[in-house]
Amino acid sequence: MSTIWKSAVLTVLVATSSIPIARCEEAISRAADGRYLVDLNGVIVALPGESPQDTQIGFWIPKPSGTGVDHFYLRDLVRDPGRYAPMLRSSAWTDVSAGTSLNHPHEIIGIPVVAGVNKVGIRAGGENYCDPMQADWARYRQLALAMPTDQYGWTRQDNERNPSSLFIKFLDSGNRAKSRYYPLSCGFSGTCSIFACHDNLSAWVSFFSSNKPKGEDYAVKDFDRQIASGIKVLENMVLNRSVDLSHH
């Protein structure tokens, strides 16, 4: 091959290889530590790259038709930003969740988590997780005002028909009537979750508490550590804002 042809081929290869990088940088920028910065309705999330075996960071957005949702992973966004970035920009709301994996069972997005914590997520945009449950939470809170707490500060309301349990902890135990509180919902499988919505941001943490089908009860003593561990991950994910999972 002549020198001229070698130069021409090399030029084409360099130009071609640079196209995906340029397109990616235009759609999603990078933080100084290498994490991808994704704008979700004005909420910036920082997400580390993941191997094809993990795929624990996922996005959900409403379909343009208004029925159903589209789902894709961070690796899809990085691989084909020209397709997925416009979908995020035009979406009325976006969910993003991140969880543990077989390769990384004790961390989420590189942040160590305490035993049981398995997934966190946010929703940015118009709709939120909380509206459909506000009336139920208000009712549970009202009942909890007169209930005794356990040694860890939680009240418990069991639903025998489900079966499931709702735990409430008043953050100011000396003034329950005006205190903020945590509402924690736990199901028969032993998984518990907590949701809150503030300032156009819905956030949640999910953790495994017990093997209920085998007769184990919820490990209430671990609730506070598990919630705090999930919040730490969320605050590492969501840039320039704190994450509050308490309710009025």
Side-chain angles (χ1 to χ4, degrees):
M1 184 181 289
S2 70
T3 302
I4 294 176
W5 276 106
K6 287 181 180 179
S7 298
V9 171
L10 181 60
T11 300
V12 171
L13 289 175
V14 171
T16 302
S17 65
S18 68
I19 290 174
I21 297 174
R23 289 175 62 224
C24 183
E25 289 178 348
E26 289 173 3
I28 44 178
S29 58
R30 305 289 287 271
D33 59 11
R35 290 182 296 169
Y36 295 100
L37 301 178
V38 186
D39 187 339
L40 308 177
N41 300 92
V43 176
I44 307 297
V45 295
L47 304 168
E50 57 183 358
S51 69
Q53 292 77 26
D54 279 343
T55 60
Q56 294 300 303
I57 303 174
F59 297 88
W60 286 260
I61 59 175
K63 289 181 177 292
S65 63
T67 58
V69 296
D70 284 318
H71 171 57
F72 53 92
Y73 295 103
L74 175 64
R75 67 174 186 178
D76 299 319
L77 175 61
V78 173
R79 186 187 68 246
D80 192 359
R83 174 184 178 187
Y84 293 103
M87 294 169 63
L88 290 175
R89 285 195 294 267
S90 63
S91 176
W93 55 262
T94 304
D95 285 358
V96 58
S97 69
T100 57
S101 69
L102 291 176
N103 293 331
H104 303 285
H106 305 299
E107 65 179 51
I108 299 177
I109 61 170
I111 307 299
V113 293
V114 302
V117 177
N118 50 32
K119 188 167 283 192
V120 303
I122 67 166
R123 172 173 289 185
E127 297 186 15
N128 66 53
Y129 295 123
C130 301
D131 287 348
M133 296 179 279
Q134 293 287 9
D136 288 338
W137 285 334
R139 185 174 69 255
Y140 289 129
R141 175 191 175 281
Q142 190 63 32
L143 292 172
L145 286 173
M147 295 177 64
T149 65
D150 63 16
Q151 60 182 309
Y152 307 107
W154 293 87
T155 67
R156 177 171 180 167
Q157 300 174 50
D158 294 321
N159 186 336
E160 300 297 338
R161 291 177 297 178
N162 254 358
S164 62
S165 298
L166 193 287
F167 295 85
I168 283 182
K169 183 170 190 173
F170 293 98
L171 302 187
D172 180 2
S173 59
N175 188 1
R176 288 189 180 189
K178 295 184 178 180
S179 174
R180 299 186 69 85
Y181 68 98
Y182 281 153
L184 184 66
S185 177
C186 297
F188 179 69
S189 67
T191 297
C192 302
S193 58
I194 182 169
F195 298 79
C197 305
H198 303 290
D199 301 326
N200 201 37
L201 180 70
S202 306
W204 56 270
V205 172
S206 174
F207 55 84
F208 184 74
S209 181
S210 70
N211 194 331
K212 289 290 288 183
K214 290 190 175 182
E216 295 180 9
D217 201 5
Y218 305 110
V220 181
K221 64 182 179 61
D222 296 325
F223 284 175
D224 290 287
R225 289 194 311 119
Q226 290 167 320
I227 292 171
S229 183
I231 289 175
K232 183 178 179 181
V233 177
L234 287 168
E235 292 192 330
N236 188 269
M237 176 192 296
V238 183
L239 295 188
N240 304 319
R241 60 191 300 175
S242 60
V243 174
D244 181 4
L245 295 183
S246 68
H247 292 232
H248 281 296

